[in-house]
Amino acid sequence: PGRELAVAMDTLNAGVHFPDGTAAADVGWKALAVNLSDLAAMGAEPAWCTLSLSLPQADAAWLDGFLDGFLELAAAHRVALVGGDTTRGPLSVCVTVHGLIEPGSALRRDGARVGDAVWVSGTLGDAVGALRQWQQQGVGVDPALRDRLDRPTPRVALGRALRGIAHAAIDVSDGLLADLGHVCRASRVGAQIDVDALPASDALIAAFDPPARRELQAAGGDDYELCFTAPASRRE
């Protein structure tokens, strides 16, 4: 009672959203994490979820590993798995999450205002950096970058804290420029970004030269950090 419902859904397909051979536990973690990231971008508190899973054949060991990762993250955010579906087919995972939020306080894409500063949490480019290394045969994948690809951190606590401070928010799933573009279009504003000011991890700096790093940070996806706009006066 007295809460609004926030809903998000994402599908992950093998070879498209995670590399073939990714550990089952990491697939389970990521399948829930990318959905919790959408709730975080709304400032919602996660509540429950459903899971639809397509598998090429029955594989009890893989399913046990998948659930280990999925339920580990679910427990950390007090998310209940309340139902779903299983079927035979190419490896595919679809999760729908429901969250709760105080009426009228949801962060949206259409609230950015002229004069807002643009912020991003964490570091950008790590996940796609790992993918780039994985695609280059003979090049080892940096473990820190691979961890960001396999196990993104949904910024739920940050999203909750930004209610009443940020004017607009979105999670960075398709790349900073694409996702910030969604905010700009919805809010009917433009934005200027200093690419060299984007936060980069030590692992990304060590693995890629500056031109490649700029591309990964600005246009890469799968970071699942929050990009949000707020008055510069609210920095602290």
Side-chain angles (χ1 to χ4, degrees), residues 54-67:
S54 170
L55 288 171
Q57 64 274 324
D59 187 337
W62 189 93
L63 187 58
D64 282 346
F66 174 89
L67 286 174

Side-chain angles (χ1 to χ4, degrees), residues 43-147:
E45 179 183 2
W48 58 85
C49 68
T50 60
L51 165 66
S52 292
L53 182 61
S54 170
L55 288 171
Q57 64 274 324
D59 187 337
W62 189 93
L63 187 58
D64 282 346
F66 174 89
L67 286 174
D68 283 344
F70 189 96
L71 296 177
E72 179 184 352
L73 187 60
H77 291 278
R78 301 175 63 191
V79 176
L81 177 59
V82 298
D85 186 33
T86 56
T87 187
R88 185 184 301 274
L91 178 56
S92 179
V93 188
C94 181
V95 175
T96 301
V97 291
H98 294 71
L100 303 172
I101 191 165
E102 297 75 10
S105 66
L107 299 172
R108 297 164 55 98
R109 298 181 181 184
D110 60 0
R113 303 174 189 176
V114 172
D116 276 358
V118 180
W119 309 83
V120 66
S121 64
T123 59
L124 296 177
D126 294 331
V128 74
L131 191 60
R132 186 72 57 86
Q133 289 180 330
W134 177 77
Q135 291 169 336
Q136 297 172 349
Q137 295 183 355
V139 176
V141 180
D142 184 282
L145 299 182
R146 183 60 189 259
D147 189 60

Side-chain angles (χ1 to χ4, degrees), residues 143-235:
L145 299 182
R146 183 60 189 259
D147 189 60
R148 289 294 306 278
L149 175 65
D150 290 342
R151 295 209 171 201
T153 301
R155 304 297 186 182
V156 174
L158 175 60
R160 296 287 290 163
L162 288 173
R163 291 171 301 134
I165 299 175
H167 288 152
I170 192 170
D171 73 326
V172 183
S173 56
D174 297 326
L176 176 66
L177 295 185
D179 290 313
L180 180 57
H182 296 322
V183 171
C184 289
R185 280 187 291 274
S187 301
R188 299 186 178 185
V189 297
Q192 284 187 313
I193 299 298
D194 178 0
V195 178
D196 290 325
L198 297 178
S201 68
D202 292 340
L204 191 73
I205 293 172
F208 296 92
D209 61 28
R213 189 170 70 244
R214 291 188 191 99
E215 176 195 351
L216 297 176
Q217 290 187 279
D222 263 10
D223 287 306
Y224 299 101
E225 297 291 350
L226 294 188
C227 175
F228 56 96
T229 77
S233 62
R234 301 301 301 272
R235 166 187 280 273

